[in-house]
């Protein structure tokens, strides 16, 4: 587990970050960047620093290039007004000349804070994350809507199929009942035609009988 960073609060023996920025006429980012060299554990959260810490980072906020240039311009005049001083050897002068760019780079390096770029990158990352999160939430909502519509369509189809199956079964029952009733019908009976003329037959029989009686 990572150790908790110290966050020193302002006391009577310390100087707040705001007052330290006013003292060195710099921004809070620049001051904290300089503090990272002497307080690497809590430079980004500390609220107040001691005078010793301020003295340790004072060199990062002193004038750099103009002061160096003035020293280089005043050097020949000093040599002319003080002939008693022996001139420095050529090797030492070359070393001093070579060390000036290094000192300049060393003094200017702490003031080149990457924090603004980091802030822009952080803002870009947060904006991209927010847009991607919105797109993901919208995609989830779209998928849920499609699932709801799909489930409704499937449910409607299932109900329609259930009604259809029930009607098919019921219809087969009706057809079976109709067939059973139709099977009860009997075959038609052929009626023999009546060709006998009853009155004529009676008259003929009586006539024959009358003939027999007269005789």
């Amino acid at each position: 587990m990572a150790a908790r960073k110290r966050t020193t609060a302002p006391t009577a023996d310390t100087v707040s970050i705001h007052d330290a920025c006013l003292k060195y006429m710099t921004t809070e980012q620049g001051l904290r960047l300089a503090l990272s060299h002497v307080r690497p554990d809590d430079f980004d959260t500390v609220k107040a620093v001691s005078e010793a810490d301020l003295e340790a980072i004072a060199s990062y906020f002193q004038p750099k290039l103009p002061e160096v240039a003035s020293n280089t311009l005043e050097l020949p005049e000093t040599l002319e007004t003080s002939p008693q001083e022996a001139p420095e050897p050529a090797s030492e002068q070359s070393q001093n000349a070579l060390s000036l760019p290094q000192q300049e780079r060393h003094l200017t390096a702490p003031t080149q804070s990457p924090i603004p770029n980091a802030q822009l990158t952080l803002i870009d990352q947060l904006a991209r994350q927010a847009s991607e999160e919105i797109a993901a939430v919208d995609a989830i909502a779209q998928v849920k809507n499609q699932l709801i519509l799909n489930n409704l369509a499937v449910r409607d189809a299932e109900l329609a199929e259930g009604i259809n199956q029930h009607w098919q079964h019921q219809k087969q029952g009706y057809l079976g009942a109709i067939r059973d009733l139709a099977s009860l019908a009997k075959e038609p009976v052929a009626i023999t035609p009546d060709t006998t003329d009853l009155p004529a037959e009676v008259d003929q029989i009586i006539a024959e009988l009358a003939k027999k009686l007269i005789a």
Side-chain angles (χ1 to χ4, degrees):
M1 182 176 180
R4 184 179 180 85
K5 292 184 177 181
R6 296 176 299 170
T7 55
T8 305
T11 63
D13 300 331
T14 59
V15 180
S16 66
I17 294 296
H18 176 71
D19 293 339
C21 292
L22 295 178
K23 178 179 179 180
Y24 290 124
M25 299 182 65
T26 184
T27 62
E28 181 178 349
Q29 290 83 0
L31 182 68
R32 291 187 181 278
L33 183 63
L35 286 175
S36 65
H37 297 279
V38 295
R39 302 180 64 125
D41 295 334
D42 61 347
F43 72 94
D44 56 340
T45 58
V46 66
K47 297 180 180 179
V49 294
S50 63
E51 291 292 345
D53 291 336
L54 291 179
E55 292 178 359
I57 64 174
S59 60
Y60 296 108
F61 304 103
Q62 293 177 352
K64 303 169 184 62
L65 187 57
E67 182 178 353
V68 173
S70 62
N71 290 337
T72 56
L73 292 176
E74 292 176 358
L75 183 59
E77 183 179 356
T78 304
L79 292 176
E80 293 177 358
T81 56
S82 302
Q84 295 84 0
E85 296 180 1
E88 293 181 359
S91 59
E92 294 182 1
Q93 293 180 357
S94 61
Q95 291 178 358
N96 293 335
L98 292 175
S99 64
L100 288 178
Q102 296 177 356
Q103 294 176 359
E104 182 180 348
R105 287 195 300 270
H106 176 71
L107 293 176
T108 56
T111 60
Q112 296 177 357
S113 173
I115 293 178
N117 293 333
Q119 290 178 347
L120 292 177
T121 302
L122 178 60
I123 293 174
D124 293 339
Q125 290 179 351
L126 291 177
R128 183 177 64 181
Q129 178 181 350
S131 62
E132 291 180 352
E133 185 174 0
I134 292 173
V137 172
D138 182 65
I140 292 174
Q142 291 181 5
V143 172
K144 287 183 178 180
N145 292 335
Q146 292 297 327
L147 288 176
I148 292 173
L149 295 176
N150 178 262
N151 291 337
L152 288 176
V154 172
R155 183 58 179 167
D156 291 343
E158 290 176 350
L159 291 174
E161 180 61 18
I163 294 172
N164 179 57
Q165 292 293 334
H166 178 72
W167 169 239
Q168 292 294 335
H169 179 73
Q170 189 175 5
K171 185 168 61 175
Q172 292 299 324
Y174 287 145
L175 292 175
I178 293 172
R179 292 189 184 95
D180 292 340
L181 291 175
S183 64
L184 297 177
K186 296 182 179 180
E187 294 293 335
V189 177
I191 299 175
T192 304
D194 185 6
T195 57
T196 303
D197 187 358
L198 182 60
E201 293 290 338
V202 172
D203 290 342
Q204 185 179 356
I205 293 171
I206 292 175
E208 290 179 353
L209 178 62
K211 289 178 180 180
K212 292 179 178 179
L213 291 176
I214 293 174

